[in-house]
Amino acid sequence: MPTLYSKQDSGNSYKVRLLFARLGLPFRIVDIDTTTGATRRGDFLAINPIGKAPVVVFDDGRALAESGAILLHFAEGSRFLPSDSYDRAKCYEWMFFEQYSHEPAIAVRRALRVYETRRAQATPERLQELLEKGNEALRVMEKRLVAHDWLAGPAFSIADIALYAYTHDAEDKGGFDLKPFPGIRRWLARVAGEAGHVTIDWRPA
């Protein structure tokens, strides 16, 4: 049974919990608060030298960090990773987009608004810059989702999990307006309506 080091309100950690729930995969969870310096202590750095969560530790002691890598590893051979080579490549494309274009704006703006330790960085200029960049990322998603149910191919995949995690509360916590993005809003409802869906506050019993 893998052990997941997870920050409960982190979108990156939520991605992993969401996939594990969809897979019905039993796992242990260890809460780690990245805002208190817990990920910079020696015991955690021995697990993940990057000093970030989430991290999965396997029974044999091996560890795997980075939410995208964890999703790809556990989705292997499942319906959540497309079998068609082109659709699978598009899944990777959306996951890279999430990390390089979406997360640096939408997740960072959320963090500046939510975490007290980040408030000093939440200048009006910085928040406006992130709002503009985040809306650019949302427009890219909208172009796909206004005409298709899912991001990569004809079925729900880890690309949808990767983008859902920080998009689902972009309005509430990030301060983005999703009204101009009907395709995204319908997609969010489809993801939440999928069997086995769990919310960000879910944790294994």
Side-chain angles (χ1 to χ4, degrees), residues 10-198:
S10 157
N12 284 324
S13 294
Y14 177 39
K15 296 171 194 175
V16 180
R17 295 195 308 275
L18 185 51
L19 177 62
F20 284 4
R22 294 292 182 93
L23 290 170
L25 178 72
F27 66 100
R28 291 179 292 267
I29 192 164
V30 175
D31 292 308
I32 189 104
D33 189 347
T34 58
T35 66
T36 63
T39 56
R40 307 307 305 176
R41 293 199 301 257
D43 54 347
F44 187 84
L45 292 173
I47 297 169
N48 180 17
I50 301 172
K52 294 181 180 180
V55 184
V56 170
V57 177
F58 298 90
D59 288 339
D60 62 5
R62 292 180 299 168
L64 182 62
E66 299 295 336
S67 60
I70 296 169
L71 293 182
L72 287 167
H73 176 78
F74 284 95
E76 188 72 36
S78 79
R79 68 184 180 90
F80 301 112
L81 187 62
S83 58
D84 177 82
S85 62
Y86 177 78
D87 289 344
R88 190 166 60 252
K90 294 300 286 186
C91 182
Y92 300 157
E93 178 185 281
W94 280 109
M95 293 175 72
F96 297 151
F97 163 84
E98 190 272 338
Q99 286 289 286
Y100 288 103
S101 300
H102 181 279
E103 193 268 357
I106 292 176
V108 171
R109 196 172 199 272
R110 173 188 185 269
L112 295 185
R113 286 164 52 93
V114 168
Y115 300 126
E116 188 63 37
T117 55
R118 302 287 299 274
R119 290 288 170 82
Q121 303 169 46
T123 64
E125 296 78 13
R126 179 66 169 142
L127 290 173
Q128 181 61 31
E129 176 192 14
L130 293 170
L131 183 67
E132 293 170 4
K133 289 182 177 179
N135 279 325
E136 288 177 12
L138 292 171
R139 283 192 287 271
V140 172
M141 293 176 65
E142 179 70 12
K143 186 174 181 180
R144 166 69 184 184
L145 292 169
V146 76
H148 299 85
D149 285 348
W150 306 111
L151 287 169
F156 177 85
S157 73
I158 54 173
D160 299 290
I161 289 178
L163 271 298
Y164 180 85
Y166 281 116
T167 306
H168 87 284
D169 63 2
E171 195 162 54
D172 178 43
K173 294 185 178 178
F176 289 89
D177 182 6
L178 296 186
K179 288 193 291 294
F181 305 108
I184 288 176
R185 288 187 281 110
R186 290 192 296 268
W187 167 77
L188 288 171
R190 276 193 296 275
V191 173
E194 282 275 293
H197 180 77
V198 294

